[in-house]
Amino acid sequence: MNYLIPKRITSSEREVIRQMDEDDQEVAVESASVHVEAGSHPMRFLYVPSTGGKGTTVFATNLRVGPDEAKTFCRRYSRRWQIENEYKSIKHDFLAKTSSKGYRVRLFYFVFAVLLYNIWRLTDFLLKAGESAPIDSISSLFIYERINGFERILR
């Protein structure tokens, strides 16, 4: 099983980060091994710039990742968490509560929540981009197409 997990920064990681700063390195990969009762396996610590822009983040992985690939590889982890957070937002902020056990009702509620979330994201994007085009023409067509598609699924 392959893994990529964030690692808590301890004094040994701080020392590597300090050395990276002195050498003006942005990314570093350090080889290590994990020893447990069942055996051991090689691993690597990936030191990459934080997605927040400040500092360095450390990841542990058992995959062979070189310094050239480390930054891109760790960005995937960030994207994964973006998806997890979006799902959490849909579940807690947009999903209606139901006690129905019927999968069609539950599917409809979930799909409707996803639709609301997507409309909210589109509106947010258009407002931030300063778009002055009427949103009604874009969203009505989008909503009409999606409702017709979901109606076929629920039959």
Side-chain angles (χ1 to χ4, degrees):
M1 175 186 290
N2 297 328
Y3 62 85
L4 173 70
I5 55 175
K7 181 173 183 334
R8 182 171 292 173
I9 296 177
T10 62
S11 58
S12 59
E13 283 80 29
R14 280 191 199 95
E15 181 61 31
V16 172
I17 292 170
R18 187 190 61 73
Q19 188 63 45
M20 285 172 60
D21 289 341
E22 286 179 9
D23 296 342
D24 200 30
Q25 281 183 295
E26 188 180 45
V27 177
V29 176
E30 181 182 47
S31 295
S33 65
V34 175
H35 301 282
V36 291
E37 289 179 23
S40 67
H41 71 271
M43 62 175 291
R44 287 170 177 72
F45 293 122
L46 310 176
Y47 296 82
V48 295
S50 175
T51 54
K54 270 190 161 182
T56 300
T57 304
V58 182
F59 289 92
T61 185
N62 62 340
L63 298 170
R64 291 183 180 199
V65 180
D68 297 338
E69 313 162 304
K71 200 173 178 181
T72 305
F73 190 73
C74 292
R75 257 190 246 131
R76 290 184 200 160
Y77 183 84
S78 176
R79 287 189 198 121
R80 176 183 158 237
W81 276 109
Q82 181 181 3
I83 292 168
E84 295 285 339
N85 288 333
E86 287 174 353
Y87 178 76
K88 185 174 157 185
S89 178
I90 290 169
K91 188 176 175 184
H92 293 293
D93 300 331
F94 293 93
L95 187 62
K97 307 293 185 249
T98 182
S99 59
S100 173
K101 301 264 189 238
Y103 87 92
R104 288 183 174 154
V105 172
R106 298 177 74 80
L107 175 65
F108 173 77
Y109 278 19
F110 179 74
V111 169
F112 189 71
V114 169
L115 180 64
L116 287 175
Y117 178 78
N118 287 337
I119 291 170
W120 175 67
R121 289 287 307 257
L122 176 64
T123 304
D124 183 54
F125 172 76
L126 291 175
L127 289 173
K128 285 181 181 174
E131 185 68 42
S132 59
I135 296 174
D136 294 317
S137 61
I138 298 170
S139 61
S140 2
L141 178 62
F142 177 77
I143 291 169
Y144 179 76
E145 288 174 355
R146 295 300 174 246
I147 289 174
N148 283 336
F150 298 139
E151 185 180 49
R152 280 186 238 118
I153 291 172
L154 295 175
R155 284 186 190 170

